[in-house]
Amino acid sequence: WYNFIGLCHKNGDIKFVIIGRASEIDERFSRMDNVVFAKDFGTTVEQDMALIQAALIFMGGSSGPTAMAMFSDIPYLIFNLKPSPYEDFKKGSNPTYATKFQKFIWEAETAELIYKEFSELYKVVDKKGWVEKMNKVDKDLSEFPW
């Protein structure tokens, strides 16, 4: 992930928001100016889930927070899935409810694989629509009296 984010830094102005426990985050990320740690702002689990919902693209491994993206319309790339006897996903497949912008990648992540998958998805996601959606959220929230 570190090498992937470094590749993105060289090729644009993409920012990454990393959620998760502060103790689980590799310190090398703190030296990258295209990375923001949610926990540096004291986020709660609920706020981390809101960050996932606000993302242009969610990317990560198979984890609890991943479910927030999986069961939404957020474009996602979920890496390193392991077949489970409790789920109906066949290795190499996507869930039937996934959109064309949502993909399971069953392989372990490498910088090259993450970059390839991200680049393909980033080319086709509706960046303009996402910006408009975020601007609307900002406007709607500005009307609250806090």
Side-chain angles (χ1 to χ4, degrees):
W1 286 98
Y2 176 80
N3 291 335
F4 157 71
I5 291 174
L7 287 169
C8 289
H9 184 266
K10 295 175 187 172
N11 295 318
D13 59 351
I14 299 167
K15 290 269 189 194
F16 295 90
V17 177
I18 297 179
I19 63 168
R21 291 186 190 105
S23 62
E24 297 174 339
I25 298 171
D26 187 324
E27 279 299 311
R28 294 179 299 167
F29 289 112
S30 64
R31 295 186 291 274
M32 302 177 97
D33 60 2
N34 62 335
V35 172
V36 174
F37 295 109
K39 291 303 177 215
D40 285 351
F41 298 89
T43 60
T44 63
V45 171
E46 293 85 358
Q47 290 166 324
D48 289 345
M49 298 301 103
L51 287 170
I52 292 171
Q53 284 194 315
L56 173 66
I57 297 172
F58 172 82
M59 298 187 330
S62 183
S63 68
T66 299
M68 178 61 78
M70 279 177 52
F71 300 110
S72 73
D73 61 352
I74 300 162
Y76 63 70
L77 299 168
I78 300 173
F79 292 87
N80 204 18
L81 280 145
K82 306 278 190 261
S84 164
Y86 307 107
E87 297 170 320
D88 195 23
F89 304 133
K90 304 272 189 274
K91 187 171 182 164
S93 69
N94 272 338
T96 56
Y97 53 81
T99 72
K100 66 182 180 179
F101 303 113
Q102 298 174 323
K103 186 175 181 182
F104 285 178
I105 293 110
W106 293 82
E107 304 165 54
E109 35 311 26
T110 64
E112 295 77 20
L113 177 63
I114 301 168
Y115 190 77
K116 174 189 163 294
E117 295 291 343
F118 173 76
S119 296
E120 289 174 10
L121 183 55
Y122 189 73
K123 286 178 197 171
V124 297
V125 293
D126 182 9
K127 292 177 271 305
K128 182 179 176 188
W130 176 79
V131 168
E132 289 170 0
K133 177 180 167 185
M134 292 300 104
N135 287 338
K136 182 178 180 335
V137 168
D138 283 346
K139 181 183 177 303
D140 291 348
L141 289 177
S142 71
E143 295 173 9
F144 280 89
W146 48 49

